[in-house]
Amino acid sequence: MKHSVSLTATLAMMAGLSYGFPRKEEIMRRAALQKRASAELIGDLLTLQDSQLTQTGKDIKAILLGTTRGIDTTSNYTNVPQINSPECRQDTCCIWKHIADDMASSMIGDAGRCNDLARGSIRLGFHDAAKWSKKTTGGGADGSIILAGECESRPDNDALQPTCAQMRTWFDKYKQFNVTVTDMIQMAANVGTVSCPMGPRVRSFVGRKDSSTESPQGLMPLGSDNADKLIALFADKTISADGLVALVGAHSTAQQRAFDPARSGDPLDSTPGVWDTNFYNETLEARTPQRVFKLPSDISLSRDNRTSAAWKRFVGSQGQGPWDGAYSREYVRLSLLGVNNINELTECTKVLPAFIPTFVNPDQTELSSYLANSPQPAQSESAKLLNGSRLNG
């Protein structure tokens, strides 16, 4: 059965609150976790004084340092001007509201689950931004995965080609409004996240600059990597071990194809297309539905003594709020790697779709039966899941 969490309880969990004042032990626990979170400054925030920061610069600095949240459940955009109107041109976020609505309309299937385009957009946002390191020059969230043709030329982008093609279609449609490819990629990632039931509204910023220069090689994680390699790789991206654990939770919605083609379409937890904590639970469990696929990299992180405590923090329905909050903060950081004009960006979180606090699969009987079958070709069911479609439709 799916988790069913009341809106009030969900918002309370996301805010990191309990009903009443937290006890001393809880305050100490949160402080200890905070010390383990990613907290380095990046981009132009490394050199600018506080007196030089815009409001956006101050807000992003606070998110990076952990003094404010990277999640926003309440902002909204009402009375949106027509796309070609003078009023729309005067508001930086107006065109992004039109774009976000266009994206969202393509990211949910008739079962209410997010589909392959949503999942691909989340992965594409990660793959564009994560090609950056403190030890290299260039790369990061700059659109080069599209503009330099890396989507097609690099094996670590296998299975992303349809998402890249859709991104080019969206960019061709909206480039007359002076948007950038890199902002398009990161907005699609955040629209995709909140389009998945129970997925957070990650605070979203626009104004990044595009680059057609190929990014550095060898900076992407592999599904076969162990915890040692992953922790070191992400430390060079200013992302802590605990931050890495929060980010890999995006596998909750996934269906793998490239890692093991013989099991193409198999999900990484028992609720594909839903942003819940089953991924954390089931990676740890010895017995799971036969069709659930576990990446060696995820297993290694779940068991390593540097990451296991953070992993267990996100297990169960009580882990949903902490995970959404941690993921949002870490994804804001990830989406700004390699961006050197952070102080000039504009926040447009208000354009995102509304948060979906609860979800129950409308085809749970059929989904359970599919998951229980031994891994073997099941193209029809896998294709329906990829599309976010009902298995009983």
Side-chain angles (χ1 to χ4, degrees), residues 73-119:
T73 60
T74 60
S75 65
N76 62 84
Y77 197 147
T78 58
N79 301 318
V80 184
Q82 294 293 317
I83 192 168
N84 287 307
S85 68
E87 292 81 8
C88 195
R89 288 193 293 271
Q90 291 170 7
D91 180 357
T92 299
C93 295
C94 178
I95 183 57
W96 288 106
K97 175 60 175 171
H98 290 280
I99 293 171
D101 286 353
D102 192 357
M103 291 174 169
S105 68
S106 304
M107 290 186 174
I108 299 181
D110 61 23
R113 295 184 286 260
C114 62
N115 62 20
D116 203 39
L117 178 57
R119 293 187 292 265

Short mmCIF file of all heavy atoms in Angstrom, two decimals, residues 73-119:
data_model
loop_
_atom_site.label_atom_id
_atom_site.label_comp_id
_atom_site.label_asym_id
_atom_site.label_seq_id
_atom_site.Cartn_x
_atom_site.Cartn_y
_atom_site.Cartn_z
N THR A 73 6.72 25.08 -0.40
CA THR A 73 5.47 24.38 -0.66
C THR A 73 4.31 25.32 -0.96
O THR A 73 3.22 24.85 -1.32
CB THR A 73 5.08 23.51 0.55
OG1 THR A 73 4.92 24.36 1.70
CG2 THR A 73 6.14 22.48 0.84
N THR A 74 4.49 26.63 -0.82
CA THR A 74 3.33 27.52 -0.82
C THR A 74 3.29 28.59 -1.90
O THR A 74 2.21 29.08 -2.23
CB THR A 74 3.23 28.24 0.54
OG1 THR A 74 4.43 28.99 0.77
CG2 THR A 74 3.06 27.22 1.67
N SER A 75 4.43 29.00 -2.45
CA SER A 75 4.40 30.11 -3.41
C SER A 75 3.58 29.72 -4.64
O SER A 75 3.52 28.56 -5.02
CB SER A 75 5.81 30.50 -3.83
OG SER A 75 6.42 29.46 -4.55
N ASN A 76 2.95 30.70 -5.26
CA ASN A 76 2.19 30.41 -6.48
C ASN A 76 2.15 31.65 -7.36
O ASN A 76 2.46 32.76 -6.91
CB ASN A 76 0.76 29.95 -6.15
CG ASN A 76 -0.02 31.02 -5.40
OD1 ASN A 76 -0.59 31.92 -6.01
ND2 ASN A 76 -0.05 30.93 -4.07
N TYR A 77 1.80 31.47 -8.59
CA TYR A 77 1.76 32.55 -9.58
C TYR A 77 0.33 32.63 -10.09
O TYR A 77 -0.15 31.74 -10.78
CB TYR A 77 2.72 32.22 -10.72
CG TYR A 77 3.11 33.38 -11.61
CD1 TYR A 77 4.39 33.43 -12.18
CD2 TYR A 77 2.23 34.41 -11.91
CE1 TYR A 77 4.77 34.47 -13.00
CE2 TYR A 77 2.60 35.46 -12.72
CZ TYR A 77 3.88 35.49 -13.27
OH TYR A 77 4.24 36.53 -14.10
N THR A 78 -0.36 33.69 -9.74
CA THR A 78 -1.74 33.89 -10.19
C THR A 78 -1.82 35.04 -11.18
O THR A 78 -0.90 35.86 -11.28
CB THR A 78 -2.66 34.20 -8.99
OG1 THR A 78 -2.17 35.36 -8.30
CG2 THR A 78 -2.68 33.02 -8.01
N ASN A 79 -2.91 35.09 -11.93
CA ASN A 79 -3.13 36.15 -12.92
C ASN A 79 -1.94 36.28 -13.86
O ASN A 79 -1.35 37.36 -14.02
CB ASN A 79 -3.39 37.49 -12.21
CG ASN A 79 -4.60 37.44 -11.30
OD1 ASN A 79 -5.63 36.87 -11.65
ND2 ASN A 79 -4.47 38.02 -10.11
N VAL A 80 -1.57 35.18 -14.49
CA VAL A 80 -0.40 35.14 -15.36
C VAL A 80 -0.70 35.89 -16.67
O VAL A 80 -1.68 35.58 -17.36
CB VAL A 80 -0.02 33.68 -15.68
CG1 VAL A 80 1.26 33.63 -16.52
CG2 VAL A 80 0.14 32.88 -14.39
N PRO A 81 0.14 36.85 -17.03
CA PRO A 81 -0.08 37.58 -18.29
C PRO A 81 0.06 36.67 -19.51
O PRO A 81 0.72 35.63 -19.46
CB PRO A 81 1.02 38.65 -18.28
CG PRO A 81 1.42 38.79 -16.85
CD PRO A 81 1.26 37.41 -16.26
N GLN A 82 -0.56 37.07 -20.60
CA GLN A 82 -0.41 36.35 -21.86
C GLN A 82 1.06 36.35 -22.28
O GLN A 82 1.80 37.31 -22.03
CB GLN A 82 -1.26 37.00 -22.95
CG GLN A 82 -2.75 36.88 -22.72
CD GLN A 82 -3.24 35.45 -22.82
OE1 GLN A 82 -2.83 34.70 -23.72
NE2 GLN A 82 -4.11 35.05 -21.89
N ILE A 83 1.46 35.28 -22.95
CA ILE A 83 2.88 35.07 -23.21
C ILE A 83 3.52 36.18 -24.04
O ILE A 83 4.70 36.52 -23.84
CB ILE A 83 3.09 33.69 -23.87
CG1 ILE A 83 4.57 33.30 -23.88
CG2 ILE A 83 2.49 33.65 -25.28
CD1 ILE A 83 4.83 31.86 -24.25
N ASN A 84 2.79 36.77 -24.97
CA ASN A 84 3.37 37.80 -25.83
C ASN A 84 3.05 39.22 -25.38
O ASN A 84 3.31 40.18 -26.10
CB ASN A 84 2.88 37.62 -27.27
CG ASN A 84 3.52 36.42 -27.95
OD1 ASN A 84 4.75 36.30 -27.97
ND2 ASN A 84 2.71 35.52 -28.49
N SER A 85 2.50 39.35 -24.19
CA SER A 85 2.08 40.67 -23.72
C SER A 85 3.25 41.47 -23.15
O SER A 85 4.25 40.90 -22.69
CB SER A 85 1.02 40.51 -22.63
OG SER A 85 1.59 39.94 -21.47
N PRO A 86 3.14 42.81 -23.16
CA PRO A 86 4.17 43.64 -22.52
C PRO A 86 4.34 43.32 -21.05
O PRO A 86 5.45 43.36 -20.52
CB PRO A 86 3.64 45.06 -22.73
CG PRO A 86 2.74 44.97 -23.92
CD PRO A 86 2.11 43.61 -23.83
N GLU A 87 3.22 42.98 -20.38
CA GLU A 87 3.28 42.65 -18.95
C GLU A 87 4.15 41.41 -18.71
O GLU A 87 4.90 41.35 -17.73
CB GLU A 87 1.88 42.42 -18.40
CG GLU A 87 1.00 43.65 -18.35
CD GLU A 87 0.38 43.97 -19.72
OE1 GLU A 87 0.52 43.14 -20.65
OE2 GLU A 87 -0.24 45.03 -19.85
N CYS A 88 4.04 40.43 -19.60
CA CYS A 88 4.83 39.22 -19.46
C CYS A 88 6.32 39.52 -19.66
O CYS A 88 7.18 39.01 -18.94
CB CYS A 88 4.36 38.15 -20.43
SG CYS A 88 4.96 36.47 -20.06
N ARG A 89 6.62 40.38 -20.62
CA ARG A 89 8.02 40.71 -20.88
C ARG A 89 8.65 41.46 -19.71
O ARG A 89 9.87 41.44 -19.54
CB ARG A 89 8.12 41.56 -22.16
CG ARG A 89 7.86 40.74 -23.44
CD ARG A 89 8.28 41.52 -24.67
NE ARG A 89 7.43 42.69 -24.89
CZ ARG A 89 6.31 42.67 -25.60
NH1 ARG A 89 5.89 41.54 -26.14
NH2 ARG A 89 5.61 43.78 -25.78
N GLN A 90 7.84 42.11 -18.91
CA GLN A 90 8.37 42.88 -17.78
C GLN A 90 8.63 42.03 -16.54
O GLN A 90 9.24 42.49 -15.58
CB GLN A 90 7.39 44.01 -17.43
CG GLN A 90 7.31 45.10 -18.49
CD GLN A 90 6.17 46.07 -18.24
OE1 GLN A 90 5.51 46.02 -17.21
NE2 GLN A 90 5.93 46.96 -19.21
N ASP A 91 8.17 40.80 -16.55
CA ASP A 91 8.33 39.90 -15.40
C ASP A 91 9.18 38.70 -15.83
O ASP A 91 8.75 37.88 -16.65
CB ASP A 91 6.95 39.42 -14.92
CG ASP A 91 7.03 38.47 -13.73
OD1 ASP A 91 8.15 38.13 -13.30
OD2 ASP A 91 5.96 38.06 -13.23
N THR A 92 10.38 38.60 -15.29
CA THR A 92 11.29 37.51 -15.66
C THR A 92 10.65 36.15 -15.52
O THR A 92 10.89 35.24 -16.33
CB THR A 92 12.56 37.57 -14.80
OG1 THR A 92 13.21 38.82 -15.01
CG2 THR A 92 13.52 36.44 -15.13
N CYS A 93 9.82 35.97 -14.50
CA CYS A 93 9.24 34.66 -14.23
C CYS A 93 8.04 34.33 -15.11
O CYS A 93 7.63 33.16 -15.16
CB CYS A 93 8.84 34.54 -12.76
SG CYS A 93 10.23 34.62 -11.61
N CYS A 94 7.46 35.31 -15.79
CA CYS A 94 6.25 35.07 -16.56
C CYS A 94 6.46 34.01 -17.64
O CYS A 94 5.68 33.05 -17.74
CB CYS A 94 5.74 36.37 -17.17
SG CYS A 94 4.25 36.16 -18.19
N ILE A 95 7.51 34.16 -18.44
CA ILE A 95 7.74 33.18 -19.49
C ILE A 95 7.99 31.79 -18.89
O ILE A 95 7.56 30.76 -19.44
CB ILE A 95 8.92 33.60 -20.41
CG1 ILE A 95 9.10 32.60 -21.54
CG2 ILE A 95 10.21 33.74 -19.61
CD1 ILE A 95 7.88 32.41 -22.42
N TRP A 96 8.61 31.76 -17.71
CA TRP A 96 8.89 30.47 -17.07
C TRP A 96 7.63 29.81 -16.54
O TRP A 96 7.56 28.58 -16.46
CB TRP A 96 9.95 30.63 -15.99
CG TRP A 96 11.29 30.87 -16.60
CD1 TRP A 96 11.99 32.04 -16.65
CD2 TRP A 96 12.07 29.91 -17.31
NE1 TRP A 96 13.15 31.87 -17.34
CE2 TRP A 96 13.24 30.57 -17.76
CE3 TRP A 96 11.91 28.56 -17.61
CZ2 TRP A 96 14.22 29.92 -18.50
CZ3 TRP A 96 12.89 27.91 -18.34
CH2 TRP A 96 14.03 28.59 -18.78
N LYS A 97 6.63 30.60 -16.21
CA LYS A 97 5.35 30.00 -15.83
C LYS A 97 4.72 29.30 -17.04
O LYS A 97 4.21 28.17 -16.93
CB LYS A 97 4.40 31.07 -15.29
CG LYS A 97 3.00 30.58 -14.99
CD LYS A 97 2.98 29.48 -13.95
CE LYS A 97 1.55 29.09 -13.58
NZ LYS A 97 1.52 27.87 -12.72
N HIS A 98 4.77 29.93 -18.19
CA HIS A 98 4.24 29.31 -19.41
C HIS A 98 5.03 28.04 -19.76
O HIS A 98 4.45 27.01 -20.14
CB HIS A 98 4.27 30.29 -20.57
CG HIS A 98 3.28 31.41 -20.44
ND1 HIS A 98 1.95 31.25 -20.76
CD2 HIS A 98 3.42 32.69 -20.02
CE1 HIS A 98 1.30 32.40 -20.54
NE2 HIS A 98 2.17 33.28 -20.09
N ILE A 99 6.35 28.11 -19.62
CA ILE A 99 7.19 26.96 -19.92
C ILE A 99 6.93 25.82 -18.93
O ILE A 99 6.78 24.66 -19.31
CB ILE A 99 8.69 27.36 -19.90
CG1 ILE A 99 8.98 28.32 -21.04
CG2 ILE A 99 9.57 26.12 -19.98
CD1 ILE A 99 10.38 28.95 -20.98
N ALA A 100 6.87 26.15 -17.64
CA ALA A 100 6.67 25.13 -16.61
C ALA A 100 5.32 24.43 -16.79
O ALA A 100 5.21 23.20 -16.62
CB ALA A 100 6.77 25.74 -15.22
N ASP A 101 4.29 25.19 -17.13
CA ASP A 101 2.98 24.58 -17.37
C ASP A 101 3.02 23.64 -18.57
O ASP A 101 2.40 22.57 -18.56
CB ASP A 101 1.92 25.66 -17.58
CG ASP A 101 1.52 26.36 -16.29
OD1 ASP A 101 1.96 25.92 -15.20
OD2 ASP A 101 0.79 27.36 -16.37
N ASP A 102 3.74 24.05 -19.61
CA ASP A 102 3.89 23.23 -20.80
C ASP A 102 4.61 21.92 -20.44
O ASP A 102 4.18 20.82 -20.82
CB ASP A 102 4.69 24.01 -21.85
CG ASP A 102 4.65 23.36 -23.23
OD1 ASP A 102 4.05 22.28 -23.39
OD2 ASP A 102 5.24 23.95 -24.17
N MET A 103 5.67 22.03 -19.68
CA MET A 103 6.42 20.85 -19.26
C MET A 103 5.56 19.91 -18.42
O MET A 103 5.50 18.70 -18.66
CB MET A 103 7.65 21.27 -18.46
CG MET A 103 8.73 21.98 -19.25
SD MET A 103 10.05 22.59 -18.16
CE MET A 103 11.30 23.05 -19.38
N ALA A 104 4.90 20.47 -17.42
CA ALA A 104 4.12 19.66 -16.48
C ALA A 104 3.01 18.88 -17.18
O ALA A 104 2.69 17.75 -16.78
CB ALA A 104 3.53 20.54 -15.38
N SER A 105 2.44 19.47 -18.23
CA SER A 105 1.34 18.81 -18.93
C SER A 105 1.78 17.53 -19.62
O SER A 105 0.95 16.69 -19.98
CB SER A 105 0.73 19.76 -19.97
OG SER A 105 1.64 20.01 -21.03
N SER A 106 3.12 17.37 -19.79
CA SER A 106 3.65 16.19 -20.49
C SER A 106 4.29 15.19 -19.55
O SER A 106 4.85 14.19 -20.01
CB SER A 106 4.69 16.64 -21.52
OG SER A 106 4.17 17.57 -22.43
N MET A 107 4.23 15.42 -18.24
CA MET A 107 5.05 14.64 -17.31
C MET A 107 4.26 13.69 -16.41
O MET A 107 4.87 13.01 -15.58
CB MET A 107 5.90 15.58 -16.45
CG MET A 107 7.01 16.27 -17.23
SD MET A 107 8.10 17.23 -16.15
CE MET A 107 9.37 17.74 -17.32
N ILE A 108 2.94 13.62 -16.53
CA ILE A 108 2.14 12.73 -15.68
C ILE A 108 1.24 11.87 -16.56
O ILE A 108 0.61 12.37 -17.49
CB ILE A 108 1.30 13.53 -14.68
CG1 ILE A 108 2.20 14.34 -13.74
CG2 ILE A 108 0.42 12.60 -13.84
CD1 ILE A 108 1.47 15.14 -12.70
N GLY A 109 1.19 10.58 -16.24
CA GLY A 109 0.33 9.67 -16.98
C GLY A 109 -1.03 9.53 -16.35
O GLY A 109 -1.33 10.15 -15.32
N ASP A 110 -1.89 8.68 -16.93
CA ASP A 110 -3.28 8.60 -16.47
C ASP A 110 -3.41 7.88 -15.13
O ASP A 110 -4.48 7.87 -14.52
CB ASP A 110 -4.17 7.96 -17.52
CG ASP A 110 -3.78 6.53 -17.89
OD1 ASP A 110 -3.11 5.85 -17.08
OD2 ASP A 110 -4.15 6.08 -18.99
N ALA A 111 -2.32 7.28 -14.63
CA ALA A 111 -2.35 6.69 -13.29
C ALA A 111 -2.04 7.73 -12.21
O ALA A 111 -2.13 7.42 -11.02
CB ALA A 111 -1.35 5.55 -13.19
N GLY A 112 -1.66 8.94 -12.64
CA GLY A 112 -1.27 9.97 -11.68
C GLY A 112 0.20 9.91 -11.31
O GLY A 112 0.69 10.74 -10.55
N ARG A 113 0.93 8.91 -11.84
CA ARG A 113 2.37 8.81 -11.59
C ARG A 113 3.14 9.63 -12.61
O ARG A 113 2.70 9.82 -13.74
CB ARG A 113 2.80 7.34 -11.66
CG ARG A 113 2.20 6.45 -10.58
CD ARG A 113 2.76 5.03 -10.67
NE ARG A 113 2.21 4.29 -11.80
CZ ARG A 113 1.23 3.39 -11.70
NH1 ARG A 113 0.66 3.15 -10.51
NH2 ARG A 113 0.80 2.74 -12.76
N CYS A 114 4.33 10.10 -12.21
CA CYS A 114 5.16 10.81 -13.18
C CYS A 114 5.73 9.81 -14.18
O CYS A 114 5.91 8.62 -13.87
CB CYS A 114 6.26 11.61 -12.50
SG CYS A 114 7.47 10.64 -11.55
N ASN A 115 5.99 10.29 -15.38
CA ASN A 115 6.36 9.39 -16.47
C ASN A 115 7.85 9.49 -16.81
O ASN A 115 8.63 10.15 -16.11
CB ASN A 115 5.48 9.68 -17.69
CG ASN A 115 5.65 11.10 -18.22
OD1 ASN A 115 6.64 11.77 -17.94
ND2 ASN A 115 4.67 11.56 -18.99
N ASP A 116 8.22 8.84 -17.90
CA ASP A 116 9.62 8.76 -18.28
C ASP A 116 10.21 10.12 -18.61
O ASP A 116 11.40 10.35 -18.39
CB ASP A 116 9.77 7.82 -19.48
CG ASP A 116 11.16 7.24 -19.60
OD1 ASP A 116 11.76 6.92 -18.55
OD2 ASP A 116 11.66 7.12 -20.73
N LEU A 117 9.42 11.04 -19.14
CA LEU A 117 9.93 12.38 -19.42
C LEU A 117 10.26 13.11 -18.13
O LEU A 117 11.28 13.80 -18.05
CB LEU A 117 8.90 13.17 -20.24
CG LEU A 117 9.29 14.61 -20.57
CD1 LEU A 117 10.62 14.67 -21.32
CD2 LEU A 117 8.19 15.30 -21.38
N ALA A 118 9.42 12.97 -17.12
CA ALA A 118 9.71 13.59 -15.82
C ALA A 118 10.99 13.01 -15.24
O ALA A 118 11.89 13.74 -14.80
CB ALA A 118 8.55 13.38 -14.85
N ARG A 119 11.09 11.69 -15.22
CA ARG A 119 12.28 11.05 -14.67
C ARG A 119 13.52 11.40 -15.48
O ARG A 119 14.59 11.65 -14.92
CB ARG A 119 12.09 9.53 -14.62
CG ARG A 119 11.03 9.08 -13.63
CD ARG A 119 11.02 7.56 -13.51
NE ARG A 119 10.55 6.92 -14.72
CZ ARG A 119 9.28 6.55 -14.93
NH1 ARG A 119 8.37 6.77 -14.00
NH2 ARG A 119 8.93 5.95 -16.04
#
